[in-house]
Amino acid sequence: MDKGRSVMERVAAGMPRWPAYVMLAAAAACAYPAVTTPPVAETYRARGQEPGWVLLIADGKLDYAGDYGAVRITVPRPHPRTTFNGRRYETRRLTVDVTHSRCNDAMSGHGYPDTVTVTADGKTFRGCGGERRPDWDM
C-alpha cells in the first residue's frame, strides 16, 4: 500500500485523465435545455395565392378551402410529426408541411413566420402561415 500518499492522491491516481475539452463539453451540454420546435398552436392559419386557398387547424380538425372556396376538405387533425425545422400533418386526402422559415405572401407582401405546403387530393400549393409579422412586410 502507498503509505506516503494521501487518500485523495490514491483516488485521483485511479481515475482516468480526460482532456479538458471533453469535460467542458459535457458540462456545457448540461447547462442548456434541449432545442425543440415551437409548440403547436391551438389555432393555426395558413393561406396562399393562385389559386387562393386557406387552411385552418383548430378544434381537432384540418379545414382546407382551396380554389377560392370551390374545394373543401375537412379531416380530423392527426398528431403532427416533427420534421426538419417544422412539422407535418398527414391524412389520406390532405398533407400539410409547416416549415419555420420566413415567408411573404405573394400578393399582399405580408410577412409570416412559416412557409406552408399543402397537398390536397394530390395537388400541391405553397403559401404562408402563423401570426402575421408586420415588421417583415415587403
Side-chain angles (χ1 to χ4, degrees):
M1 189 149 220
D2 277 333
K3 292 190 180 193
R5 295 170 71 185
S6 72
V7 172
M8 288 303 289
E9 289 173 325
R10 285 183 286 190
V11 169
M15 294 184 68
R17 297 186 186 270
W18 295 95
Y21 67 88
V22 172
M23 299 303 286
L24 286 172
C30 296
Y32 296 97
V35 176
T36 60
T37 58
V40 177
E42 291 294 319
T43 300
Y44 185 86
R45 295 183 199 293
R47 70 226 22 95
Q49 306 297 335
E50 302 307 326
W53 60 267
V54 176
L55 172 76
L56 176 64
I57 302 174
D59 301 323
K61 299 183 292 187
L62 300 177
D63 189 13
Y64 170 79
D67 199 12
Y68 303 104
V71 175
R72 300 281 314 201
I73 300 173
T74 300
V75 295
R77 185 193 81 128
H79 184 73
R81 188 181 80 207
T82 301
T83 60
F84 176 76
N85 201 25
R87 63 187 177 274
R88 171 179 265 206
Y89 299 90
E90 200 166 2
T91 70
R92 188 177 57 79
R93 294 188 64 197
L94 198 61
T95 300
V96 177
D97 283 302
V98 177
T99 304
H100 305 303
S101 66
R102 180 179 174 164
C103 183
N104 287 88
D105 183 80
M107 302 232 355
S108 68
H110 292 169
Y112 297 91
D114 300 325
T115 299
V116 179
T117 303
V118 174
T119 302
D121 289 335
K123 296 179 183 173
T124 301
F125 307 96
R126 288 174 179 70
C128 302
E131 293 295 320
R132 182 171 169 219
R133 294 281 310 259
D135 54 323
W136 288 352
D137 287 357
M138 296 182 88

